[in-house]
Amino acid sequence: MIGIDLELSSCVVLLAGDKSASETTAERLRAEGCELLLAQDAPQAMAYLEQAGLLVICDHDPQRFAPVLAAAKIPVLHATPAESTGSITLLGGGPGALDLMTLRGVRALAEAQVVFADRLGPSEHLALLAPQAKIVDAGKLPGHHKLTQRQIEAQMIQAARDGAKVVRLKGGDPFVFGRGFEEVAAATAANIPVHVIPGLSSCITVPGAAGIPVTARGVNTMFTVVSGHDPLGEDQLRQLTQLGGTIVILMGMGTIEATVAGLLRVGMSRDMPCAIVQSGTTEVQSTSHAPLWDLAAAARAHSNPAVIVIGEVAALPQSLLAQASGASAGALLEAAS
């Protein structure tokens, strides 16, 4: 294991060293059947010393444990510490429901030592998903950011430089209006290993959870995903109208009145079917359907997080309900609400 042929099964081993530096050594010792006592500093190691049959020092600064070495009356081995630089993983947590997070994402959180979490996605389940991690609330509300984007990036980089496995947990997918590539660029510039784990984006999953397909044969052949954070310009509104496909708007509740007025102004039919899906995929999901002319009024019954769908496909769930009857109609209504 560390260069010497020893029978370590059932041996009580005191492993002294920083957690990130000694993690690999700890895993190997456990695999050999050792009972581990873990100490990250000299006083803690001194307290465990009499209980151990072997002392293993694995730290980037082994001199920190010189008093322990001097006091040890048991065999002592030195193990090579892991690289001190940690990593950053950008993780898409999906639209909100815990069971819509990917297995790869669940594994990343289980191994994480620091998690920078947005308010969307499955952040409320972090105590279960990342039991050993320090949780940093990096959530952003409209007009109120606990941390700026640059502060988030700086803190993630510092944590990784300190040796931690850092996970940046975002709702949906980190590359769909998630500023994920900015964080990739910041980590790369700092020479920090960075990985991306995609997530299910709310632009598709939330309409789907309400029974709305963003494309449908014979209805449309395209959909456009739009950020509604800022009001759309006149040319953008005109181009969206001329495309003739589905428009899916994320972060658009604050500008919905301007969006509706603009689309009507550039010639979109006032009777265009629309829908608003709030808290999609969760237990409190709710959906409203309205024609374009009444969409802003319908939005008053909803709040963020919500996805806005504009296009003929928004009427499809209700068209099925109109054709159904009895129990089947009830089941369809439940699926599309």
Side-chain angles (χ1 to χ4, degrees):
M1 192 279 298
I2 32 188
I4 298 178
D5 186 13
L6 292 176
E7 176 53 56
L8 297 179
S9 178
S10 301
C11 178
V12 178
V13 177
L14 171 55
L15 178 58
D18 178 77
K19 183 178 180 180
S20 61
S22 60
E23 185 174 16
T24 301
T25 298
E27 291 176 358
R28 291 174 179 172
L29 287 167
R30 288 192 185 97
E32 294 194 19
C34 298
E35 178 183 342
L36 286 187
L37 302 171
L38 303 176
Q40 296 197 59
D41 54 42
Q44 190 177 20
M46 291 292 284
Y48 285 145
L49 195 54
E50 291 187 1
Q51 303 175 44
L54 174 67
L55 170 63
V56 177
I57 297 177
C58 183
D59 195 76
H60 291 288
D61 182 14
Q63 284 301 113
R64 294 196 302 129
F65 296 95
V68 184
L69 191 63
K73 298 179 181 179
I74 55 177
V76 179
L77 295 176
H78 291 267
T80 302
E83 292 295 327
S84 58
T85 301
S87 62
I88 294 175
T89 297
L90 304 185
L91 169 58
L98 176 60
D99 53 359
L100 289 179
M101 176 181 279
T102 64
L103 291 175
R104 188 178 298 180
V106 171
R107 286 196 297 269
L109 286 172
E111 297 172 358
Q113 294 165 317
V114 183
V115 176
F116 288 80
D118 275 357
R119 66 185 183 92
L120 300 177
S123 56
E124 64 186 272
H125 302 287
L126 281 178
L128 171 67
L129 295 170
Q132 64 181 353
K134 173 186 176 183
I135 309 301
V136 178
D137 184 359
K140 298 175 182 178
L141 291 169
H144 177 67
H145 296 176
K146 295 182 176 70
L147 297 171
T148 68
Q149 182 64 30
R150 301 290 86 85
Q151 287 173 330
I152 292 170
E153 292 165 7
Q155 291 189 22
M156 289 196 301
I157 288 168
Q158 186 57 55
R161 282 177 172 160
D162 290 340
K165 291 182 179 179
V166 177
V167 170
R168 175 72 166 108
L169 175 62
K170 300 169 177 287
D173 182 273
F175 282 0
V176 180
F177 304 135
R179 305 189 71 170
F181 193 74
E182 293 177 47
E183 294 167 353
V184 169
T188 301
N191 293 316
I192 301 295
V194 59
H195 313 280
V196 178
I197 299 178
L200 296 170
S201 175
S202 60
C203 68
I204 298 173
T205 55
V206 168
I212 301 171
V214 293
T215 64
R217 186 176 180 85
V219 179
N220 71 335
T221 58
M222 69 181 73
F223 69 98
T224 304
V225 184
V226 177
S227 168
H229 186 270
D230 298 310
L232 297 172
E234 204 76 3
D235 286 342
Q236 293 173 310
L237 292 165
R238 186 175 294 105
Q239 289 165 5
L240 285 171
T241 300
Q242 292 171 348
L243 281 173
T246 304
I247 304 170
V248 180
I249 305 177
L250 308 184
M251 304 177 291
M253 294 296 284
T255 57
I256 192 166
E257 291 190 5
T259 300
V260 170
L263 289 172
L264 291 172
R265 189 168 58 249
V266 299
M268 182 173 283
S269 169
R270 65 194 310 272
D271 293 321
M272 179 65 71
C274 304
I276 299 172
V277 187
Q278 178 181 329
S279 301
T281 76
T282 73
E283 294 179 354
V284 293
Q285 172 179 315
S286 62
T287 305
S288 290
H289 294 266
L292 180 62
W293 66 266
D294 198 33
L295 181 61
R300 298 187 189 116
H302 294 277
S303 59
N304 286 314
V307 174
I308 302 164
V309 183
I310 300 173
E312 298 293 345
V313 294
L316 292 180
Q318 292 185 311
S319 70
L320 287 181
L321 290 175
Q323 299 171 26
S325 61
S328 61
L332 284 167
L333 181 61
E334 181 179 352
S337 64

